[in-house]
Amino acid sequence: MYHNPSAQLWKSKYTIIPSILQFHKTLPDYGKTPLLKLPAKSAEQLGVGTILLKDESHRFALPSYKILGASWGCIYTVTHSLGIPPTTSLSEVKQLVAVVQYTFCTATDGNWGRAVARMAKILGANALIYVPKVMVEATKQKIRHERAQVVVVDGDYDMAVKEAERAAVTQPAGLLIEDTAWPGYEQIPQWVVDGYSTMMVEIDEQCQELIGRSLDLIICPVGVGSLAQAVVAHYKSQDPPCTVMTVEPDTAACLKTSLETGQMTSIPTGNTTMCGMNCGTVSMTAWPFLRDGVDASITVTDDESAKAQEMLNDIEIRMGPCGAATLAALLGASEEEREKLHLNRDSLVVLLGTEGPRGEALDMS
Ligand SMILES: Cc1ncc(COP(=O)(O)O)c(C=O)c1O
């Protein structure tokens, strides 16, 4: 485990933007996702008080949380491009999108592209989604069912990002909508990160309702680190701040490698069952938050994620490999490591269960 003791005292200046949750409530199928309590026995075995899992397996009728960031990122990008306020009603935005005929371009390991494609469908835009060579056919099919065109690149996720960037320039009315930032492309990924804040607002309300107190540790899965940026920005602005632990596949640990070397470091990636987290470069805008505000970073293997998935399955919680990775991280932390994170028998731990099981019935709505 990588441990940064100074993160405990680091403060983020983030403040909640109320219009984001208000916007999400205007979208079809908005509903608060459940915060589920794991059995007391599991918490006891791991030496903590309570373990809650934020179940993002049904978010706006999609099987992952990504649509929270994709929706806010898309609406902000489109309204900004049209020169109208982001609070303009969906129906008015749709009318203008029909005139301009935007094409949303993006790269994805799966869930992100499907969420952008869904937003394109809601707004009446076209969608061109670039995917790595290793993507399984079923995932491509799910993106195509959102009426998007899927383009397979001869390489990994990082290459798909480059191809999407090229396409956005060559397409008439092309808009590049990515959840990862690089020099010169920072504004849209920041809007995406802002969109994820709805999840944290819900968690805070639910912790108060269920347990009557705020959380001590949150464990977040990392691909490019945009979700973790939102988590760090939110929880490190609280008093007392909550401890943040990140988890990555052992074969795609770009954040852990960067934290250990002290600078953003790209790494080659291979294959993993945790495909949403299969990224080789941390998002540039996420990096300063993660460098300063992540308390602990851990990696898990595909087998460890699969075991956690089985454990959750046994208690009727259905998660995919990324969704179960956060439980695998908690299970993988040694007693000594848990002590370093100040966990004790009273601690309230929240796991982000970011996706439902693979092979879910296609959502054709
Ligand atoms: C299900 C799931 N969990 C976690 C992540 C990681 O999010 P990020 O890339 O913002 O770090 C992703 C990314 O696609 C994902 O699809």
Side-chain angles (χ1 to χ4, degrees), residues 1 37 48 68 87 93 125 167-168 187 233 251 294 321 363:
M1 180 180 85
K37 193 167 174 189
V48 296
L68 288 173
T87 45
V93 176
Q187 184 60 81
T251 54
V294 167
D363 178 6

Side-chain angles (χ1 to χ4, degrees), residues 56 63-66 108-113 157 179-180 192-193 196 220-230 247-248 274-279 281 283 286 290 320-323 325 352-356 358:
E56 289 290 318
S64 101
Y65 73 98
K66 284 276 171 179
T108 187
D109 277 323
N111 291 314
W112 169 255
Y157 168 80
D179 60 344
T180 188
V192 170
V193 168
Y196 294 145
C220 176
V222 165
V224 297
S226 290
L227 176 61
Q229 179 188 344
V247 57
E248 292 168 283
M274 293 168 270
C275 5
M277 300 154 73
N278 193 9
C279 304
T281 307
S283 170
L290 307 185
C322 298
L352 297 185
T354 49
E355 67 172 349
R358 300 280 155 74

Side-chain angles (χ1 to χ4, degrees), residues 31-53:
K32 214 187 257 188
T33 55
L35 188 66
L36 306 170
K37 193 167 174 189
L38 269 57
K41 204 173 69 184
S42 312
E44 211 173 290
Q45 276 164 4
L46 289 166
V48 296
T50 308
I51 305 173
L52 302 173
L53 181 136

Side-chain angles (χ1 to χ4, degrees), residues 70-92:
S71 55
W72 187 248
C74 288
I75 204 76
Y76 231 99
T77 306
V78 166
T79 51
H80 189 257
S81 161
L82 292 167
I84 56 173
T87 45
T88 309
S89 74
L90 265 189
S91 54
E92 272 178 76

Side-chain angles (χ1 to χ4, degrees), residues 293-307:
V294 167
D295 296 87
S297 157
I298 208 163
T299 61
V300 295
T301 63
D302 285 0
D303 278 353
E304 286 166 335
S305 145
K307 277 198 197 96

